[in-house]
Amino acid sequence: MSKKINTNCAKCRRAGVKLMLKGEKCLGPKCAFAKRSYAPGQHGPDSKRAKLSSYGAQLKEKQKAKRIYGLIERQFSNYVTKASAKTGDTSKILLAMLESRLDNVVYRMGLGKSRLDARQIVGHGLVTVNGKKLDIASYNVKVGEVVGLSTKGKGKKAFEKIAEKLAKTEAPVWLGIDSKDISAKVLNVPHVDDAGFNTKAIIEFYSR
């Protein structure tokens, strides 16, 4: 009997890149992608991947982005539509919108081990924005706003040593962390040097 494939690990192997769906575990020695970077299936590493068409390559990049941020098609396509309606580099605008999501900011500041974990933290009402509790994962955190752990959250056993963790967190340059206050301020419009997917290819996919 074959071993049961972990859904998240299978997604990384199909994408051909680490999607960081399990947070810090993806960086450890037990990472399934590190051991088996080929696509799952009975033929294993001997299986041959068909050469992707331009459409297939763009679709693959879209799927990567959706899985990384944990979005369904309707949510993701809405972001692309909104980004396309703005003036400027659509690919950079799209990435900034995705990074500005409250659940992503919570993940980036180190409160959540993964984006899924961060989304649950937000949903449970353990996060504040400018001091007010907010449980909407898709909320667009704006430049100047401060995201923090609520009083209820600080009382949770899971966050007993969170201040120490935040002090060691390597946050992106657009996010300023205050480990003592257990909060983070969005300093600039979010940007990522290596998003893990080709944003321009995604824009081209929806422009067809």
Side-chain angles (χ1 to χ4, degrees):
M1 183 179 293
S2 61
K3 293 183 178 180
K4 183 178 180 181
I5 298 175
N6 181 284
T7 303
N8 286 332
C9 295
K11 288 178 180 178
C12 291
R13 290 172 61 192
R14 288 195 185 94
V17 66
K18 285 189 179 184
L19 302 177
M20 300 301 292
L21 301 180
K22 297 173 71 176
E24 295 176 353
K25 291 183 179 179
C26 295
L27 301 175
K30 294 183 179 180
C31 172
F33 180 81
K35 296 179 180 178
R36 299 180 295 279
S37 59
Y38 48 85
Q42 67 181 81
H43 299 296
D46 296 325
S47 61
K48 294 182 179 180
R49 294 175 182 267
K51 186 176 181 180
L52 290 175
S53 63
S54 175
Y55 173 85
Q58 293 168 357
L59 175 62
K60 184 176 181 179
E61 294 305 308
K62 182 194 75 165
Q63 294 295 79
K64 283 183 190 178
K66 284 171 55 181
R67 287 167 179 163
I68 286 175
Y69 290 97
L71 304 176
I72 60 176
E73 177 59 30
R74 177 178 55 79
Q75 292 173 313
F76 192 78
S77 62
N78 282 341
Y79 277 115
V80 176
T81 299
K82 291 178 181 178
S84 300
K86 294 180 178 293
T87 302
D89 187 328
T90 304
S91 60
K92 291 182 179 179
I93 294 172
L94 173 61
L95 189 54
M97 292 175 73
L98 294 171
E99 285 289 308
S100 295
R101 285 177 56 94
L102 179 56
D103 54 359
N104 182 73
V105 174
V106 169
Y107 165 67
R108 290 294 192 189
M109 67 184 284
L111 287 184
K113 297 178 181 178
S114 66
R115 287 184 177 84
L116 176 59
D117 185 33
R119 184 170 300 177
Q120 293 175 335
I121 291 171
V122 174
H124 290 158
L126 305 181
V127 170
T128 63
V129 175
N130 288 347
K132 296 182 179 180
K133 186 180 78 172
L134 189 60
D135 58 6
I136 303 173
S138 62
Y139 175 77
N140 175 42
V141 184
K142 303 170 186 62
V143 175
E145 292 190 319
V146 178
V147 176
L149 191 63
S150 67
T151 301
K152 178 181 177 182
K154 291 176 181 178
K156 294 287 184 179
K157 186 176 181 180
F159 296 109
E160 282 182 341
K161 298 181 179 180
I162 193 61
E164 295 175 20
K165 180 182 177 182
L166 263 58
K168 300 176 182 178
T169 298
E170 294 184 11
V173 295
W174 51 268
L175 194 62
I177 294 180
D178 184 335
S179 59
K180 293 183 179 179
D181 189 47
I182 311 180
S183 65
K185 183 177 182 178
V186 177
L187 305 174
N188 300 292
V189 175
H191 64 277
V192 181
D193 293 329
D194 184 10
F197 54 86
N198 188 326
T199 317
K200 290 186 178 180
I202 294 172
I203 300 301
E204 290 171 358
F205 174 87
Y206 283 100
S207 297
R208 286 175 174 269

